[in-house]
Amino acid sequence: MKPILSYSSPDDRPLNTYLGLPHVDEPMGYVSSGSTEACDVSEGSFDHEDLASSLISLNDNDLIDHALPDILDEDLRIFEFDFGSYAANQLTAVEDRIAPLTEEVVEPPPTPTLCPENVDDRVVTTKKTAQSKRKSSLKRPRRPRPRNRGNRSIHLWEFLKEMLNNSEENKSYIKWISKREGIFQLVNSSGVAKLWGQRKNRKNMTYEKMSRALRYYYEKDILERVPNARLIYKFGGKTRVIATENGDDSLSDSSEH
DNA sequence: TCCCCGTTTCCTGCTT
DNA sequence: AAAGCAGGAAACGGGG
């Protein structure tokens, strides 16, 4: 179950303005989603500072990996946040202490809200106090939401990215060779495959099978071949920015490929 | 219900 | 010889 975050920006200022985050110049055509959260800033009512401090607090408490949003739809001001480093228990804890919301309910929650996403994909909108509610004149006509991708199962490359983002924790399984170039190595290939199998509920997953899925990525430009290298892969044009964002290149001096 | 996508499974042959 | 790589083919499961 993935939480969805709704956010309203009454004066059309982009969310990242309030979060002190860099602006993402162009909408991502290819956004990781198995481990992301949607942020719809087109409607609803929210106090910017509340949301900002909430996200920053989540970030400070390691509940989110980083608070850099991907813009999904600039007009609608829909962003996605990477919650890839959520530990399962942390996610549960967040969901437990944050009240679920519906479109109809006007009861004001005390804080900016993460809430479980509904299976029927209805729009979830956060509400706050009456005085901070958006005036109707400021409301934009509601356009259809882009395909909801926040609840679908994770892709393999997203899973690998997730592991790489927790490099310290997973260094015995997978590591960056050059983060800047998006090159990584499967240190324990069968171990990674096993974890992948656990994630996808495929207990018979092996590296042989997982690597077939990785090879399909070559033709989709999700991965690029690294010639004459074993267990070394490189994120391709479609994924490199996403996979390597928010990181330094401190591990990039290896020359083993 | 059908179709598409992203795998998963199995396979053969090749390379390191 | 073992492990990994390459890629064809078919099946599968989830989502639209």
Side-chain angles (χ1 to χ4, degrees):
Chain A
M1 186 191 294
K2 307 300 290 183
I4 190 167
L5 174 66
S6 269
Y7 171 65
S8 166
S9 175
D11 57 4
D12 283 6
R13 284 170 66 189
L15 178 61
N16 51 295
T17 301
Y18 298 99
L19 298 176
L21 296 165
H23 182 69
V24 180
D25 283 317
E26 51 183 45
M28 298 285 188
Y30 202 97
V31 185
S32 69
S33 46
S35 58
T36 59
E37 315 307 326
C39 178
D40 178 352
V41 295
S42 67
E43 200 175 324
S45 52
F46 235 138
D47 184 79
H48 311 99
E49 282 70 26
D50 275 2
L51 178 63
S53 61
S54 173
L55 285 173
I56 289 165
S57 156
L58 286 173
N59 187 237
D60 287 346
N61 289 307
D62 258 358
L63 291 174
I64 56 176
D65 198 14
H66 52 84
L68 178 64
D70 291 331
I71 297 176
L72 293 187
D73 185 317
E74 218 151 359
D75 282 348
L76 280 174
R77 287 160 293 150
I78 293 175
F79 301 82
E80 273 193 354
F81 289 85
D82 189 347
F83 281 65
S85 68
Y86 257 15
N89 58 335
Q90 289 172 322
L91 182 57
T92 305
V94 170
E95 288 176 345
D96 281 348
R97 70 167 179 265
I98 292 173
L101 299 167
T102 68
E103 262 186 309
E104 292 75 25
V105 174
V106 188
E107 277 305 306
T111 58
T113 302
L114 292 165
C115 66
E117 185 168 2
N118 300 294
V119 285
D120 59 359
D121 192 28
R122 66 186 161 184
V123 175
V124 180
T125 305
T126 48
K127 310 284 183 184
K128 218 202 163 194
T129 57
Q131 75 262 28
S132 68
K133 267 193 190 170
R134 167 185 276 186
K135 288 176 187 151
S136 58
S137 61
L138 288 170
K139 277 197 175 176
R140 290 171 166 234
R142 189 72 171 163
R143 285 202 274 144
R145 286 175 66 93
R147 220 177 97 204
N148 172 34
R149 289 167 302 177
N151 205 28
R152 68 146 168 74
S153 57
I154 189 171
H155 288 169
L156 174 54
W157 71 267
E158 294 167 333
F159 171 76
L160 297 176
K161 174 202 152 192
E162 233 181 76
M163 291 194 77
L164 285 161
N165 280 347
N166 297 322
S167 51
E168 193 53 35
E169 190 182 324
N170 297 313
K171 62 185 177 192
S172 59
Y173 290 97
I174 188 171
K175 68 176 186 184
W176 287 114
I177 296 295
S178 168
K179 186 165 187 173
R180 183 170 42 81
E181 294 179 78
I183 301 172
F184 60 95
Q185 179 179 23
L186 301 178
V187 180
N188 177 352
S189 55
S190 57
V192 172
K194 204 163 268 181
L195 290 174
W196 172 236
Q198 280 171 18
R199 175 67 83 92
K200 290 290 291 289
N201 249 335
R202 296 276 178 166
K203 55 181 176 215
N204 298 321
M205 181 53 60
T206 63
Y207 176 67
E208 195 185 353
K209 290 188 269 193
M210 189 185 83
S211 65
R212 182 69 189 98
L214 291 175
R215 288 196 294 275
Y216 272 126
Y217 282 163
Y218 294 143
E219 52 201 64
K220 295 174 183 172
D221 200 25
I222 292 170
L223 291 181
E224 286 176 22
R225 282 192 177 82
V226 179
N228 306 316
R230 289 190 161 210
L231 301 176
I232 291 177
Y233 295 87
K234 179 178 181 180
F235 285 108
K238 268 186 176 173
T239 53
R240 194 171 313 145
V241 172
I242 298 167
T244 60
E245 71 186 3
N246 188 39
D248 61 278
D249 196 24
S250 55
L251 299 171
S252 65
D253 52 351
S254 171
S255 57
E256 53 195 295
H257 59 279

